[in-house]
Amino acid sequence: MSILRAITKLISFLVATLFFYSLIMLCLVGSVLGINYEKLRGYLLRAWGKVCCWIIGAKVEINNKVPDPPFLLVSNHLSYIDIFVLFSQLRCLFVAKSDVKTWPLIGFLIRTCGILFIDRQRKRDVTRVNKLISKNINDNQGIILFPEGTTSPGYEILPFRTSLLEYPASEKFPVSTVALSYRTRPDQVPAFNAICWWDDTPFFVHFFNLLKLKSFTAVLNFGPERIMDQDRKQLAERLQGDIESHFDPVITEEEFHDKNLEFTPIAFP
């Protein structure tokens, strides 16, 4: 039964994704006639996120006010599902690691929809991406960063990397926060395993197993206040502290280690 559910969801997901992608590409073509491509793309990506969440069985629980464009939002990072959940609530673009380009289908689609990519192995790429961030924050859309730089099992917030906070620090631009978490029903595979993507499981295998779930809950705890600091390292500390204060752990660290599991975050230069 669960395999049939996963296949049905996968087909529905692909059909919905190709439908919204076609609309976005039509808007891109229409931009030569004066259509506001950024604004329409934002609405279509949000609709795509809502439909995808419905298809995969994600119920989104929101606490506090969702920011409107223009905004810069930082979030913790647990899974590729984060993208659909955040798209469903915000008109936004993401800064994603360059590895995402290699994800089957999704990588191609989001690459052609304006998502910003950073190669974290190349220090010089930071300057380029900071310029793109400043260029793309406007009344039509906001930008979302994942300063942890990688996903995790969700028992803690990983140390924030400061490089992409140069723009808000230098321009005194206030930053919004959201603490993202997941939970599944007691009779289902735990969320740290079924939804968080932190080990060596191949993308498609993990995604197909996730689709076997009947439903799950995504919790978005938005920070009530925006944070501003001219020192990007201090800004990073304040943002991390704010997210930690609103974060509902997916699993406790004790439970994680009691299962004899190990997690080593990716080391960046």
Side-chain angles (χ1 to χ4, degrees):
M1 183 62 183
S2 62
I3 292 178
L4 180 60
R5 179 187 299 128
I7 293 173
T8 303
K9 286 183 176 181
L10 179 60
I11 293 172
S12 302
F13 171 81
L14 292 174
V15 170
T17 297
L18 291 175
F19 172 73
F20 281 103
Y21 180 73
S22 299
L23 291 180
I24 291 170
M25 289 300 103
L26 281 174
C27 291
L28 178 60
V29 173
S31 65
V32 299
L33 302 174
I35 290 177
N36 188 334
Y37 170 63
E38 280 188 349
K39 189 171 185 177
L40 289 176
R41 178 182 61 187
Y43 282 114
L44 287 171
L45 287 173
R46 190 165 67 177
W48 177 58
K50 287 182 180 295
V51 171
C52 287
C53 283
W54 178 76
I55 290 172
I56 64 180
K59 300 175 181 176
V60 183
E61 182 179 303
I62 299 172
N63 296 302
N64 296 323
K65 187 178 183 299
V66 179
D68 294 316
F71 64 80
L72 179 64
L73 177 77
V74 297
S75 171
N76 60 312
H77 198 13
L78 300 171
S79 171
Y80 49 85
I81 295 298
D82 301 350
I83 293 174
F84 306 122
V85 171
L86 292 167
F87 263 149
S88 75
Q89 303 301 318
L90 298 134
R91 283 191 284 132
C92 62
L93 293 177
F94 290 88
V95 177
K97 58 184 181 181
S98 57
D99 297 5
V100 176
K101 293 179 183 177
T102 64
W103 292 0
L105 183 61
I106 299 298
F108 170 77
L109 296 181
I110 65 175
R111 186 170 68 244
T112 54
C113 287
I115 301 300
L116 312 180
F117 290 97
I118 180 170
D119 184 348
R120 293 187 180 276
Q121 303 299 325
R122 295 176 58 233
K123 288 185 177 179
R124 285 183 296 180
D125 208 31
V126 171
T127 302
R128 178 186 68 84
V129 177
N130 269 303
K131 290 179 180 176
L132 288 176
I133 291 172
S134 65
K135 182 180 176 183
N136 280 278
I137 294 178
N138 54 48
D139 291 340
N140 297 319
Q141 63 194 10
I143 295 290
I144 297 180
L145 303 177
F146 298 111
E148 293 169 297
T150 188
T151 52
S152 78
Y155 60 76
E156 65 176 351
I157 303 297
L158 301 176
F160 278 12
R161 303 173 196 290
T162 66
S163 55
L164 293 183
L165 296 174
E166 178 61 32
Y167 166 69
S170 61
E171 298 297 322
K172 300 179 184 177
F173 192 90
V175 184
S176 303
T177 62
V178 63
L180 205 159
S181 183
Y182 297 100
R183 61 174 183 264
T184 56
R185 298 185 326 204
D187 61 337
Q188 293 181 323
V189 179
F192 84 92
N193 216 1
I195 302 168
C196 300
W197 187 40
W198 51 271
D199 58 11
D200 295 330
T201 305
F203 171 79
F204 184 77
V205 174
H206 190 276
F207 186 45
F208 191 77
N209 287 331
L210 183 147
L211 294 177
K212 294 178 182 176
L213 297 174
K214 189 173 182 179
S215 65
F216 63 91
T217 301
V219 182
L220 296 176
N221 290 324
F222 287 93
E225 305 290 340
R226 295 191 297 174
I227 296 173
M228 186 169 62
D229 199 302
Q230 289 181 266
D231 185 304
R232 63 184 169 92
K233 292 184 178 180
Q234 290 182 14
L235 177 60
E237 290 179 4
R238 293 177 62 188
L239 293 170
Q240 182 173 345
D242 189 72
I243 290 180
E244 286 173 339
S245 69
H246 298 98
F247 178 56
D248 298 326
V250 182
I251 185 174
T252 68
E253 187 169 1
E254 291 76 16
E255 286 177 301
F256 183 80
H257 291 302
D258 285 348
K259 296 178 185 294
N260 294 319
L261 296 172
E262 292 185 2
F263 167 66
T264 303
I266 298 173
F268 294 102

